[in-house]
């Protein structure tokens, strides 16, 4: 039997479990603006006006790795790329399955609780717009989606009822990069559209690094 997991809800569950631990804090809606070396490690400045002192810093930037205030070694060539998917309304089977179109870098993912399908496909739109609010699914995206779908589904069989847009950071080898230029300061980036899948492995590797140094 399969299951449907949403990164947003899974992340909230993980944060809730984390906050149940002793001396654990999580600040949402607060951005780091600067990380400076400090007598006791690092001084972290935030948009809330509060500064923190930390002995070690791990910066998990998600798709905005290129905007990180953390110092990182040159040469990783991390780039941002647009990710777009459309919501398709058509009959949901009793046992929904994921349908892959490997030759086109696309897939159909059922969302049983929402009564629509997510059609995701490869975008060639690099260097995402900033801020994130400027990212939109445009007519070029719609045309590409319909071109792929037309080879497998009759146009009358579905309606496009919505969309979702994001961006992610990509490394040349499409594998996560853990880099560091200053002692006890690390940056994780380049998850290449698979951060949700890679997260457990990244965490395991980062814990190993912390224990060793």
């Amino acid at each position: 039997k399969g299951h449907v997991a949403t990164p947003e809800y899974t992340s909230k569950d993980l944060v809730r479990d984390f906050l149940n631990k002793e001396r654990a804090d999580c600040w949402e809606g607060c951005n780091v603006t600067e990380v400076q070396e400090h007598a006791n490690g690092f001084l972290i400045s935030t948009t809330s006006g509060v500064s923190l002192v930390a002995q070690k810093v791990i910066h998990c930037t998600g798709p905005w790795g290129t905007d990180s205030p953390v110092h990182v070694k040159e040469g990783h060539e991390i780039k941002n790329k647009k990710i777009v998917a459309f919501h398709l309304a058509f009959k949901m089977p009793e046992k929904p399955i994921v349908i892959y179109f490997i030759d086109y870098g696309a897939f159909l993912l059922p969302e049983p609780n929402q009564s629509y399908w997510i059609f995701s496909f490869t975008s060639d739109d690099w260097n995402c717009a900033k801020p994130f609010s400027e990212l939109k699914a445009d007519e070029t995206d719609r045309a590409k989606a319909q071109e792929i779908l037309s080879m497998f589904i009759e146009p009358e069989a579905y309606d496009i009822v919505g969309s979702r847009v994001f961006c992610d950071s990509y490394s040349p080898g499409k594998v996560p990069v853990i880099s560091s230029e200053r002692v006890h300061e690390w940056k994780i980036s380049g998850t290449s559209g698979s951060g949700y899948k890679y997260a457990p492995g990244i965490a395991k590797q980062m814990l190993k690094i912390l224990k060793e140094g």
Side-chain angles (χ1 to χ4, degrees), residues 10-202:
T10 301
S11 299
K12 290 183 180 297
D13 288 342
L14 290 172
V15 169
R16 185 176 60 250
D17 291 341
F18 172 73
L19 291 175
N20 288 330
K21 301 181 183 298
E22 186 178 357
R23 300 175 62 186
D25 292 301
C26 177
W27 296 2
E28 293 188 71
C30 178
N31 296 328
V32 173
T33 57
E34 189 175 15
V35 179
Q36 298 174 298
E37 291 183 280
H38 185 270
N40 296 320
F42 299 95
L43 179 66
I44 304 171
S45 302
T46 71
T47 53
S48 69
V50 176
S51 295
L52 306 172
V53 175
Q55 293 180 336
K56 299 179 181 181
V57 175
I58 305 172
H59 206 66
C60 308
T61 58
W64 294 280
T66 53
D67 295 336
S68 169
V70 175
H71 293 271
V72 179
K73 290 181 179 179
E74 298 292 334
H76 288 299
E77 300 179 8
I78 303 297
K79 296 181 179 180
N80 287 348
K81 191 174 82 160
K82 182 179 180 181
I83 298 173
V84 59
F86 286 99
H87 302 168
L88 307 185
F90 65 97
K91 187 176 181 181
M92 187 73 63
E94 292 184 7
K95 296 181 179 180
I97 58 173
V98 180
I99 303 173
Y100 291 97
F101 308 101
I102 297 176
D103 291 342
Y104 304 93
F107 63 84
L108 269 172
L109 175 70
E111 278 279 17
N113 294 330
Q114 301 295 333
S115 297
Y116 59 70
W117 293 69
I118 296 173
F119 178 65
S120 179
F121 56 95
T122 301
S123 169
D124 296 318
D125 192 350
W126 292 89
N127 300 317
C128 296
K130 303 170 186 178
F132 170 69
S133 59
E134 295 180 10
L135 284 175
K136 306 292 183 183
D138 55 29
E139 287 303 316
T140 299
D141 297 321
R142 178 182 285 268
K144 184 173 183 179
Q146 291 175 325
E147 179 183 2
I148 298 172
L149 286 168
S150 66
M151 291 183 276
F152 305 96
I153 305 173
E154 292 292 335
E156 297 80 12
Y158 69 89
D159 291 308
I160 295 178
V161 295
S163 64
R164 59 182 68 185
V165 185
F166 201 63
C167 69
D168 207 348
S169 59
Y170 283 72
S171 66
K174 293 188 177 181
V175 294
V177 174
I178 299 177
S179 57
S180 176
E181 189 173 84
R182 299 193 294 207
V183 177
H184 292 161
E185 183 181 28
W186 300 269
K187 174 182 170 184
I188 301 170
S189 58
T191 53
S192 306
S194 299
Y196 184 67
K197 178 176 69 177
Y198 288 143
I202 294 172

